[in-house]
Amino acid sequence: MILLDVEGIPDWVLFFGHFHPMLVHLPIGMLLMGMILYGFSKKEEAQRQASIAPILWSTGIAALISCAMGWCLSLTGEYDMDALFIHQWLGISLALSSLALAYMAQFWSQDSLMSRFFKPGLSLAFILVMWTGHVGGNLTHGSDYLSTYLPQPWRNWLGIAPREQESDGKSVSRITIKNLQEALIYQDLIQPTLKQKCWSCHNAEKQKGKLRMDSPEYFLKGGANGVILLAGKPEESDLIKRILLDPSHEDHMPPKGKVNLTEDEIILLQWWVKEGAHFNKKISEIPYNARIKTALTKYTQGGNQQEAYVSPILKENIPPASDVDIDKVRRHQVLVIALSKEKSFLEVNAINAKQVGDKELQDLDGIKDQLVSLKLGGTNISDALLQQISAYPRLIHLQLDHTKISHRGLSYISSLKHLETLNLVGTSIGDEGVLAIAQMPALRKIYLWQSKVSEQGIKLLQKKMPKLVIDQGWKGKWPLDTLNIPIKKPE
């Protein structure tokens, strides 16, 4: 077997190896072109063979170079050993076959006996190129890549199980949980998320970074850099740290081109790790808080659905923010995320920077023209920051849950004429803030549960803003509210 267990591989070797997927298509295309020219030629057999000899020589040489690149790529240890063994020897066989055919076409074409081996050799090369390509595709995309979207009734005829609605790495299907009381936290919630967002690079056939995540045993084992999961310590788990990196960071997971985890998925993954990373416990057996409750509810069949409405602000064309101003915000461990490749709108999320306050967030002024979404839940901000952001011209979404803001701060942001959603969950905002909320002309939805707003305040707000959607929580109607689950008190 050619694959070696190499430690400390030089970067230039891996760099050379990463050109394999690009070059490998060249000999394939050249060989097929030679076969087509040979098949459609009306010349005599000897002339037909001789005419494609240069193509076959080029094919063989390019295939050998591609094999060398493939060997360098195999040293990363990211692929299934058995499939890799088959693929590399098929590739070598194809390269040698191409060179043999080139020799036969150039030197044996006049020999009536030896030239008879050319057509069978050409047929063998065709079989090899298809077989090698198929195994290579399996290494890259998975063994079910070709059959994933095979329609019925062909699946039944071939004995293939019905297709699951799974992610293809570019889009994801919505995970639903029918019975939260009986659902297993890993099998029904965590595993489906990892399957959609992580398994394409960390499975039985491809182990990027020598890491598999498709089973608890391999998940706990970790990869080339050690374990990625420390039960009870999400802040020290490499799994969580990489997910929370800025999307522009080279170590961010999932990598560029893949679908990132949503905020709710990150919150639930952190919760699972913090509470022990159990693989066999039910959701109802693990303590939860109000934020987790909100996220879990979205996975029920009646969960929240994204509205088709698009804010008029998002239709504008604005100049992009400068990289210098974006970096000023990111240095506080705050995520700055581009919402679109075509537009310059930005979202700022402090999910990984709960320690930030008014002083650090003064740097938001540099990107205020592009900022449309600001998520500051659980941070150390005060009313002073709300006075600062009251001048932000395109702010649509504002998340202030579990902060120390007051009704005075709300009076500042009532001037935000494009603000559409406002999250005040777990704040001390009471009926005094209702009048300020009612002054927000574009407000479409507000989250008020666990705030100090009374039923009378809710009625007053609904009267002043009849079209406003007011989310007050579930008040005992949610499945987990019927269970006696211990809630951990803050230490």
Side-chain angles (χ1 to χ4, degrees), residues 307-321:
E307 297 179 349
Y309 168 81
V310 177
S311 172
I313 288 294
L314 298 179
K315 299 177 182 179
E316 295 182 6
N317 292 312
I318 59 173

Side-chain angles (χ1 to χ4, degrees), residues 68 106 127 131 153 163 200 218 242 272 288 301 322 340 354 386 400 404 420 481:
Q106 184 166 348
I127 294 172
W131 192 4
R163 182 171 71 89
S200 61
Y218 288 110
R242 285 178 177 256
W272 174 66
Y288 69 96
Q301 288 188 319
S322 72
S340 168
K354 300 302 183 183
L386 300 190
L400 304 172
K404 297 178 181 180
E420 297 180 359
D481 288 335

